[in-house]
Amino acid sequence: MSGTGQHDWDPGTYSRFRGHRLRPALDLLSRVGDLPPGDVVDLGCGSGAAAEALRAGAARDRQLIGVDLSPAMMREAEALGLYDRLTDCDIAEWRPQAAPALIFSNAALHWVAGHDALLTRLAQALTPGGTLAVQVPHQNNAPSHRLWRTLADELCGGCLKGLHLPEVLLPAQYFHLLETLGEVNLWETEYFQMLPPSEQGHPVRRYTEATYARPILDALPQTERDRLIRAYDDLIDRAYPLSANGGALFPIRRLFFTLQRGGR
């Protein structure tokens, strides 16, 4: 994960919904075709959620390299024993030692600013014929995410100033950014996830507090954090009603794109 200057990620909190978070990674990997010789890089590898699938597929006979900034997440990834090398580095600063055959980034690049320059650099780092494969949440305008920003502004005025919240470009912007660099495929999928009941708050709050809302909550003192969480729990049920068993149906949109660099 990226995010210099923020508190470290909590692997336990993040992995609470591991199955839901893994499915887009598998869908992205299924769209990666034949690769030229070279390493596979899991960029923003986190705790290594995609490592097993990468090792069994694209990295079966290749070096698998994980890149992440979070010490806690990297410890979890190292314990898997699936990576040939782990690099402790912010995505914004990372440069490969050798041109990779695949740069795979699942739910990480939205934490990094400046996608125009970043994606151009990543694409140009690939070996000829190599693939850049990216998935990012495209959920910022949904109630699940918008409510965090609205309530933080209302209850904790000014707390969002200077914070870097996850951001993505419009799909067409990604296409036009990459189209001169190789063959681009771009698509969106909306996943209807049934989140399990939680005794500690609304399931959508429990899901989003580990990711999108993390910088907001980390920036607040405990009393204001608790007040924001209570307000979110009170209102989020209007957008995502609880089912009879206390779970919640949570539609979440994901944006995917792959770029195969020209010049095999």
Side-chain angles (χ1 to χ4, degrees):
M1 302 296 175
S2 185
T4 303
Q6 297 175 357
H7 295 170
D8 197 6
W9 287 78
D10 181 343
T13 302
Y14 183 80
S15 65
R16 186 183 300 126
F17 299 95
R18 183 180 182 277
H20 293 305
R21 301 191 198 282
L22 180 59
R23 184 179 170 191
L26 299 179
D27 289 348
L28 177 61
L29 186 57
S30 73
R31 301 289 286 269
V32 175
D34 294 337
L35 297 171
D39 298 337
V40 170
V41 177
D42 188 0
L43 190 62
C45 64
S47 59
E52 185 175 357
L54 285 167
R55 174 57 74 196
R60 184 170 51 251
D61 301 314
R62 305 168 188 268
Q63 293 280 301
L64 178 58
I65 300 164
V67 179
D68 206 278
L69 184 63
S70 164
M73 289 291 208
M74 291 285 270
R75 287 192 293 271
E76 296 275 327
E78 185 176 18
L80 296 174
L82 294 170
Y83 291 98
D84 296 290
R85 186 168 78 250
L86 286 164
T87 301
D88 180 7
C89 185
D90 193 319
I91 291 170
E93 306 296 330
W94 174 77
R95 302 291 190 280
Q97 295 179 7
L102 172 64
I103 299 176
F104 180 90
S105 187
N106 179 64
L109 293 193
H110 56 302
W111 291 102
V112 185
H115 279 194
D116 288 17
L118 173 68
L119 290 172
T120 300
R121 174 168 57 79
L122 293 178
Q124 292 174 344
L126 292 164
T127 193
T131 295
L132 171 66
V134 173
Q135 181 272 124
V136 288
H138 201 199
Q139 188 77 359
N140 285 9
N141 290 324
S144 59
H145 290 38
R146 193 172 63 245
L147 185 58
W148 281 115
R149 301 193 303 271
T150 301
L151 288 174
D153 260 345
E154 291 177 358
L155 301 177
C156 324
C159 70
L160 299 184
K161 187 176 181 180
L163 285 184
H164 174 66
L165 296 176
E167 297 176 1
V168 295
L169 303 178
L170 295 173
Q173 289 177 295
Y174 285 116
F175 184 87
H176 294 308
L177 173 63
L178 296 171
E179 64 178 333
T180 61
L181 300 173
E183 181 181 342
V184 181
N185 286 297
L186 184 147
W187 70 99
E188 282 190 341
T189 300
E190 189 168 32
Y191 296 88
F192 286 80
Q193 304 175 164
M194 191 64 200
L195 304 183
S198 171
E199 296 180 357
Q200 300 175 354
H202 194 283
V204 172
R205 191 263 291 175
R206 298 290 283 163
Y207 188 99
T208 55
E209 69 182 354
T211 51
Y212 181 79
R214 189 179 67 90
I216 300 172
L217 296 172
D218 284 351
L220 298 176
Q222 188 64 52
T223 54
E224 291 193 7
R225 187 183 311 166
D226 292 343
R227 184 163 64 125
L228 177 57
I229 286 173
R230 285 195 301 270
Y232 188 94
D233 275 341
D234 288 344
L235 293 174
I236 197 63
D237 182 60
R238 300 178 188 177
Y240 308 100
L242 296 178
S243 63
N245 74 343
L249 184 64
F250 180 38
I252 183 167
R253 185 170 291 276
R254 305 274 183 169
L255 173 65
F256 301 79
F257 56 87
T258 63
L259 167 78
Q260 184 177 41
R261 186 181 180 189
R264 278 185 181 274

